[in-house]
């Protein structure tokens, strides 16, 4: 964990860890896990709001709690860019991590799999390169993140958003805006009017 | 086309008759011959072969199975025709899966179930099987198109879905359970599952399904640098499952999706993938038709042409609950297995006494079975030789929450929690 920026690190440590190791196929144990997921998400959202760093909305869209949808946003140059957010809980969860999707950005960046799934393996590169970390360090760091998830069923949805999506948005949105791949919604409407 | 060519011949004929100069007749005859050739070529459109009811060993050019049935005459396989009773599920119809499917189709397998959610892309053309004109089709549809042309005797089922999603997984499970093809078969409706996927999540999903169904399966993989690969046999409870040990080649993500990632494009070679598919299907045939030695693990390092083999026992602390259940069942079934092995050994000994190899045994040499030696040592796999101690605990179990609900100081109702999050989401 020594490679994280202090903000992410302190935030992460404050999200409650999960204790039940259960996936969608584990019946009552999954319900228990789901309760813990909600508690972690509530704690994380509350924390973000009190730190004036509110950046996502997420809720389960089926009673089983296996499909989640919502929104996330990022402020760049004082403008807010908002995206739809969705993911499925894989059957083998929490042994395998959920694949977070931003469908509106599908095809707009190479740091993404088909379908708008954010690519967790390379998005750290620009972020960390900017902070003068050596490439070797970054690669080591990426390996840590991935193994950490696989070996750490105590991490839940909230942790995935904090560790995965937040740094991804911080690294990619500025690049996407500066390269003109995405436009602010006000710009789009004003240009269509003219 | 044919009509037009016929008209052309008639035109040539009338031209020949109208010409007074006979010196031109030979060149017109040449033209006529070429048109006739074209007519013949147009007639020979590809013919689909009809289904064959029984596999025959008759050596004639028109028998698609003569070379396979010859395996019986050569003494390799006892009853090759049994292959028509078997069902094999192939998960992932990519560089390895599609080639494995073609091999099994050409071998005359009874039924193939194909699973993939992806589409054919031009980036796949460095591998075997798919053709450029199939770009844009789902891999399952394209595979069914080609395979049914090659061998219409094979029953093909295609499933365009992602097995890692809850819904896809349910369909995957029920398709494996379906026994309509061979109702008398014990267990599931398939004889073997072949995992030809390119990522860790999908392998874990196949592992989960096979552990739950007590289904024997084989795993395959090609490394990201395209120069090595492996195949592995997984029998739930008997051998290590995919979650028992950290996978050897997790990073076998040979995936065209990765081609869209700058600088991290996984390599792939038709050669390595063909070799791995060949090893996988060879092991499959040996397993199904009961000949030769079925490898529990076979690696392939193409740079050194090194083929390591090994076997892995299941991990008693495996994180997969279904794996632990299968392990327990396997241990409970040990007396029955031992009795069967003993009976087999006695039968073999009986036949051996009939033809004594050596009349005298001056040095009292005897053959001892490896497994017997294990028993004589009286040690289990966990035990350490004398003088050695463990510095760390032998394994650490996943720490279960000591008291259920110990963290739940406040609410413990899903509906209330959901409403709390919704309230937070509202403002």
């Amino acid at each position: 964990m020594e490679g994280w920026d202090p903000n992410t690190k302190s935030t992460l440590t404050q999200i409650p860890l999960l204790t039940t190791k259960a996936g969608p196929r584990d019946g009552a144990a999954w319900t228990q896990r789901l309760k813990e997921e909600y508690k972690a998400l509530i704690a994380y959202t509350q924390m973000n709001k009190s730190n004036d760093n509110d950046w996502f909305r997420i809720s389960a869209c089926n009673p089983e709690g296996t499909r989640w949808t919502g929104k996330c946003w990022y402020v760049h140059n004082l403008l807010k860019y908002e995206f739809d957010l969705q993911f499925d809980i894989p059957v083998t969860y929490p042994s395998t991590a959920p694949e977070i999707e931003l469908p509106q950005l599908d095809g707009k960046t190479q740091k993404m799999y088909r379908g708008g799934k954010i690519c967790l393996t390379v998005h750290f590169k620009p972020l960390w390169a900017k902070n003068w970390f050596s490439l070797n360090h970054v690669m080591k760091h990426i390996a840590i993140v991935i193994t950490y998830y696989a070996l750490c069923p105590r991490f839940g949805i909230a942790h995935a958003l904090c560790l995965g999506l937040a740094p991804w948005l911080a690294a990619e949105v500025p690049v996407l805006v500066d390269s003109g791949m995405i436009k602010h919604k006000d710009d789009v409407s004003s240009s269509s009017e003219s | 086309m044919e009509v037009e060519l016929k008209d052309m011949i008639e035109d040539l004929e009338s031209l020949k008759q109208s010409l007074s100069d006979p010196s031109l007749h030979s060149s017109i005859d040449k033209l006529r011959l070429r048109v006739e050739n074209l007519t013949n070529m147009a007639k020979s459109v590809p013919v689909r072969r009809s289904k064959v009811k029984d596999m025959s060993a008759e050596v004639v050019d028109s028998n698609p199975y003569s070379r396979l049935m010859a395996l019986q005459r050569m003494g390799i396989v006892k009853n090759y025709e049994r292959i028509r009773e078997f069902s094999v599920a192939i998960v992932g119809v990519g560089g390895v899966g599609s080639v494995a499917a073609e091999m099994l189709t050409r071998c005359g397998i009874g039924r193939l179930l194909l699973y993939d959610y992806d589409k054919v892309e031009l980036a796949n053309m460095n591998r075997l099987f798919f053709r450029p004109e199939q770009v844009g089709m789902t891999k399952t549809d394209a595979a069914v198109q080609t395979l049914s042309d090659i061998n219409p005797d094979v029953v093909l089922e295609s499933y365009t879905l992602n097995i890692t999603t809850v819904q896809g997984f349910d369909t995957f499970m029920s398709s494996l359970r379906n026994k309509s093809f061979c109702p008398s078969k014990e267990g599931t409706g398939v004889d073997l599952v072949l995992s030809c996927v390119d990522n860790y999540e999908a392998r874990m999903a196949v592992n989960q399904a096979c552990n739950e169904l007590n289904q024997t399966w084989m795993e395959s993989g090609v490394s990201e640098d395209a120069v090595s690969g492996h195949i592995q046999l997984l029998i739930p409870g008997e051998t290590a499952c995919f979650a028992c040990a950290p996978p050897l080649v997790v990073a076998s993500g040979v995936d065209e999706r990765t081609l869209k990632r700058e600088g991290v494009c996984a390599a792939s070679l038709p050669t390595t993938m063909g070799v791995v598919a060949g090893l996988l299907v060879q092991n499959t045939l040996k397993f199904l038709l009961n000949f030769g030695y079925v490898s529990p693990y076979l690696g392939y390092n193409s740079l050194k042409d090194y083929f390591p083999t090994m076997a892995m026992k299941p991990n008693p602390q495996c994180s997969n609950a279904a794996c632990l259940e299968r392990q327990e069942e396997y241990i409970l079934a040990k007396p029955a297995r031992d009795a069967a092995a003993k009976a087999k050994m006695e039968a073999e000994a009986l036949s051996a006494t009939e033809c004594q190899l050596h009349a005298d045994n001056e040095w009292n040499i005897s053959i001892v079975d490896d497994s017997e030696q294990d028993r004589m040592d009286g040690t289990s796999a966990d035990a350490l030789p004398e003088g050695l101690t463990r510095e760390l605990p032998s394994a650490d179990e996943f720490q279960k929450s000591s008291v259920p609900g110990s963290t739940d100081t406040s609410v413990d109702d899903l509906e209330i929690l959901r409403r709390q999050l919704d309230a937070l989401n509202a403002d």
Side-chain angles (χ1 to χ4, degrees):
Chain A
M1 299 279 290
E2 86 281 358
W4 290 105
D5 72 286
N7 269 341
T8 308
K9 198 172 160 182
S10 73
T11 314
L12 185 71
T13 50
Q14 287 172 59
I15 305 173
L17 289 172
L18 282 67
T19 55
T20 308
K21 181 187 171 291
R25 296 190 64 71
D26 295 324
W30 170 242
T31 311
Q32 185 57 37
R33 169 90 188 190
L34 211 50
K35 288 177 195 167
E36 294 176 15
E37 296 279 4
Y38 271 108
K39 282 176 195 170
L41 277 170
I42 289 166
Y44 186 35
T45 311
Q46 278 170 340
M47 197 192 323
N48 287 337
K49 287 190 175 199
S50 58
N51 293 340
D52 199 21
N53 182 33
D54 201 16
W55 67 276
F56 71 87
R57 292 281 173 271
I58 192 81
S59 55
C61 62
N62 61 355
E64 302 80 27
T66 57
R67 173 116 189 116
W68 295 69
T69 53
K71 297 228 177 263
C72 63
W73 56 90
Y74 186 79
V75 177
H76 177 62
N77 290 341
L78 304 176
L79 291 173
K80 183 176 160 186
Y81 296 88
E82 194 175 80
F83 312 104
D84 288 340
L85 164 65
Q86 62 187 46
F87 56 87
D88 281 301
I89 298 291
V91 269
T92 46
Y93 185 82
S95 295
T96 59
E99 292 183 292
I100 298 167
E101 295 165 41
L102 306 176
Q104 289 155 327
L105 294 184
D106 187 16
K108 294 199 168 171
T109 162
Q110 291 175 317
K111 313 294 179 351
M112 190 169 256
Y113 293 124
R114 186 185 303 135
K117 290 172 183 168
I118 68 164
C119 173
L120 279 169
T121 49
V122 286
H123 74 270
F124 294 102
K125 211 160 122 183
L127 187 70
W128 292 106
K130 205 167 71 186
N131 292 331
W132 299 103
F133 280 88
S134 72
L135 183 67
N136 188 30
H137 184 97
V138 175
M139 294 316 285
K140 210 164 78 190
H141 180 72
I142 291 162
I144 292 167
V145 176
I146 291 168
T147 345
Y148 209 73
Y149 210 104
L151 299 178
C152 199
R154 294 156 193 272
F155 277 7
I157 294 166
H159 304 83
L161 294 174
C162 172
L163 269 183
L165 186 58
W168 193 94
L169 290 173
E172 295 305 320
V173 173
V175 176
L176 285 166
V177 173
D178 295 346
S179 66
M181 286 306 283
I182 53 173
K183 283 203 160 55
H184 192 261
K185 56 181 192 304
D186 295 345
D187 288 351
V188 175
S189 52
S190 62
S191 64
S192 62
E193 278 162 26
S194 61
Chain B
M1 171 122 172
E2 265 179 71
V3 183
E4 211 152 303
L5 288 166
K6 208 178 162 193
D7 287 349
M8 206 165 156
I9 290 176
E10 277 165 18
D11 287 351
L12 281 171
E13 201 56 45
S14 51
L15 187 69
K16 192 178 160 185
Q17 274 156 17
S18 62
L19 281 171
S20 51
D21 184 3
S23 63
L24 287 170
H25 280 193
S26 70
S27 52
I28 286 180
D29 280 342
K30 260 186 202 163
L31 267 178
R32 195 197 145 110
L33 210 66
R34 280 173 71 185
V35 175
E36 274 170 0
N37 269 340
L38 278 175
T39 316
N40 284 335
M41 270 162 78
K43 269 182 194 159
S44 64
V45 281
V47 198
R48 274 195 82 171
R49 84 156 166 88
S50 52
K51 292 191 181 190
V52 175
K53 191 165 169 282
D54 295 302
M55 277 190 176
S56 136
E58 195 190 357
V59 186
V60 285
D61 292 350
S62 60
N63 177 6
Y65 298 116
S66 60
R67 305 302 173 104
L68 293 165
M69 295 298 279
L71 285 165
Q72 287 179 198
R73 208 170 46 248
M74 300 282 169
I76 300 294
V77 180
K78 275 212 184 82
N79 181 2
Y80 189 85
E81 202 169 355
R82 277 195 67 203
I83 198 152
R84 303 189 92 167
E85 296 162 20
F86 297 126
S87 293
V88 174
I90 297 180
V91 187
V93 192
V96 174
S98 61
V99 179
E102 179 173 343
M103 286 176 173
L104 286 169
T105 300
R106 290 185 186 272
C107 284
I109 193 84
R111 172 170 160 255
L112 274 183
L113 296 84
L114 306 170
Y115 305 84
D116 206 303
Y117 65 89
D118 227 342
K119 285 186 173 156
V120 180
E121 294 179 346
L122 271 180
N124 302 138
M125 294 307 139
N126 72 320
R127 281 157 259 173
L128 306 174
F129 192 72
F130 291 118
R131 296 187 307 268
E133 65 266 28
Q134 291 175 320
V135 166
M137 290 176 80
T138 64
K139 286 186 176 175
T140 46
D141 285 350
V144 168
Q145 185 187 59
T146 307
L147 298 175
S148 58
D149 270 351
I150 291 172
N151 188 344
D153 297 333
V154 179
V155 177
L156 295 163
E157 285 176 27
S158 78
Y159 298 90
T160 311
L161 50 82
N162 180 352
I163 62 159
T164 66
T165 64
V166 173
Q167 203 190 358
F169 189 81
D170 282 342
T171 315
F172 178 47
M173 290 279 281
S174 55
S175 66
L176 293 180
R177 277 199 209 98
N178 183 357
K179 293 216 265 190
S180 53
F181 179 72
C182 187
S184 59
K185 194 188 160 304
E186 275 178 49
T188 65
V190 298
D191 296 275
L192 192 66
V193 174
L194 300 180
S195 163
C196 305
V197 298
D198 60 8
N199 63 82
Y200 178 71
E201 288 79 13
R203 285 190 174 91
M204 288 292 275
V206 176
N207 187 60
Q208 178 73 32
C210 291
N211 277 342
E212 283 185 31
L213 296 168
N214 198 8
Q215 172 64 55
T216 299
W217 63 291
M218 283 185 204
E219 134 73 9
S220 68
V222 176
S223 66
E224 213 163 28
D225 59 9
V227 287
S228 55
H230 74 274
I231 61 159
Q232 186 181 349
L233 171 72
L234 297 102
I235 309 171
E238 190 178 333
T239 69
C241 90
F242 197 73
C244 277
L248 290 162
V249 195
V250 182
S252 52
V254 182
D255 186 342
E256 54 281 1
R257 290 181 307 189
T258 54
L259 292 173
K260 300 204 167 114
R261 300 182 349 200
E262 205 172 30
V264 243
C265 163
S268 69
L269 279 171
T271 47
T272 315
M273 295 204 146
V275 169
V276 170
L279 294 174
L280 180 69
V281 176
Q282 194 80 305
N283 221 33
T284 301
L285 292 175
K286 290 194 284 184
F287 173 82
L288 293 175
L289 296 169
N290 200 14
F291 68 97
Y293 172 71
V294 183
S295 286
Y297 175 94
L298 178 58
Y300 169 50
N301 175 335
S302 77
L303 296 183
K304 294 188 169 172
D305 277 345
Y306 173 52
F307 291 82
T309 58
M310 62 165 186
M312 273 194 288
K313 284 184 182 164
N315 176 1
Q317 269 98 29
C318 181
S319 64
N320 187 295
C323 173
L324 294 180
E325 283 171 35
R326 297 294 90 78
Q327 287 187 42
E328 200 171 316
E329 287 167 13
Y330 184 73
I331 291 164
L332 287 175
K334 192 176 186 295
R337 240 187 348 267
D338 283 351
K342 201 180 161 199
K344 198 182 162 199
M345 226 150 77
E346 274 168 3
E348 273 169 14
L350 204 70
S351 58
T353 46
E354 281 165 14
C355 53
Q356 193 76 290
L357 273 174
H358 307 284
D360 52 352
N361 185 0
E362 199 182 337
W363 311 102
N364 281 323
I365 295 167
S366 65
I367 298 162
V368 180
D369 189 32
D370 278 351
S371 56
E372 240 169 86
Q373 205 154 22
D374 276 351
R375 255 173 272 148
M376 275 164 16
D377 291 344
T379 53
S380 71
D382 288 344
L384 290 175
E386 207 181 336
L388 293 182
T389 52
R390 286 183 199 277
E391 192 166 346
L392 294 167
S394 59
D396 39 33
E397 228 170 311
F398 182 76
Q399 289 185 345
K400 289 174 184 140
S401 59
S402 44
V403 189
S406 58
T407 50
D408 308 332
T409 43
S410 49
V411 255
D412 194 41
D413 182 84
L414 200 56
E415 204 39 56
I416 294 171
L417 286 165
R418 195 177 315 218
R419 260 181 262 141
Q420 275 185 7
L421 184 64
D422 285 346
L424 276 172
N425 282 343
D427 51 67

